C-alpha cells in the first residue's frame, strides 16, 4: 500500500464510521496530510509516512457526545477494531485500532464543545514498498 492508497483507506474508514451517527451530523475535514514516521537526519529524506485525516463533527449538541461515542464504539467493535483507550467517563476520548490492517481511529470532544473524529494509517512508504 502506498501513501495515496492509505489516505483513501483512512477516508473510507471515516465515511463508514460516520454512518452510525445521527443523520443530521455534518462532518468537516479540518486536517489531512502525511505525517513522517521517521526522524530525518540532516540531509536524509523521510521515507515513511502515516496518512492522517481529521474531521470536526458539527450539528451534535455536547450533551449528545457520549451517545455518539457509544455509537462509534459499537460500530468499531462490529467492524474489526479493538479498543486501545476508552477514557470515559472522565473524558470523552476513545482510540481504536483495526485488528487486521492496523489502521487507527479516535473520537474526542474538547472543552470548547467540539467533537473530532480522526483516522490514521500504519507507516507506509510513499512509493508503496513495505514499511
Amino acid at each position: 500500500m502506498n501513501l495515496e492508497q492509505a489516505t483513501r483507506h483512512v477516508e473510507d474508514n471515516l465515511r463508514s464510521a460516520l454512518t452510525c451517527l445521527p443523520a443530521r451530523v455534518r462532518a468537516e475535514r479540518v486536517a489531512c496530510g502525511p505525517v513522517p514516521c521517521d526522524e530525518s537526519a540532516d540531509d536524509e529524506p523521510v521515507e515513511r509516512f502515516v496518512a492522517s485525516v481529521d474531521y470536526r463533527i458539527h450539528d451534535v449538541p455536547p450533551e449528545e457526545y457520549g451517545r455518539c461515542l457509544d455509537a462509534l464504539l459499537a460500530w468499531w467493535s462490529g467492524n474489526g477494531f479493538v479498543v486501545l483507550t476508552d477514557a470515559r467517563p472522565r473524558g470523552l476520548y476513545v482510540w481504536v485500532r483495526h485488528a487486521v490492517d492496523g489502521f487507527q481511529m479516535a473520537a474526542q470532544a474538547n472543552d470548547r464543545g467540539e467533537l473530532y473524529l480522526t483516522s490514521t494509517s500504519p507507516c507506509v512508504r510513499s512509493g508503496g514498498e513495505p514499511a
Side-chain angles (χ1 to χ4, degrees):
M1 179 176 290
N2 64 31
L3 184 57
E4 183 179 323
Q5 293 165 325
T7 302
R8 278 196 304 270
H9 190 73
V10 161
E11 286 277 3
D12 290 344
N13 282 345
L14 286 165
R15 281 191 294 276
S16 294
L18 286 169
T19 64
C20 74
L21 297 179
R24 70 178 181 278
V25 164
R26 182 174 52 88
E28 170 192 14
R29 187 191 316 176
V30 293
C32 176
V35 178
C37 292
D38 303 321
E39 292 290 325
S40 178
D42 288 334
D43 290 324
E44 295 182 28
V46 173
E47 296 183 11
R48 299 184 321 149
F49 298 89
V50 169
S52 179
V53 177
D54 298 335
Y55 282 5
R56 181 170 175 202
I57 307 303
H58 295 277
D59 302 329
V60 177
E63 60 272 11
E64 292 182 24
Y65 289 171
R67 285 192 296 267
C68 287
L69 267 60
D70 288 341
L72 285 164
L73 191 55
W75 186 89
W76 287 326
S77 296
N79 285 279
F81 289 84
V82 294
V83 176
L84 301 174
T85 302
D86 185 345
R88 299 170 306 154
R90 289 178 291 134
L92 289 174
Y93 175 73
V94 178
W95 177 32
V96 298
R97 178 183 298 134
H98 195 272
V100 175
D101 64 22
F103 280 72
Q104 298 181 26
M105 297 185 78
Q108 181 171 18
N110 63 30
D111 58 0
R112 294 186 305 256
E114 300 167 334
L115 180 62
Y116 290 89
L117 185 60
T118 300
S119 183
T120 59
S121 73
C123 287
V124 296
R125 294 195 186 273
S126 59
E129 302 85 18

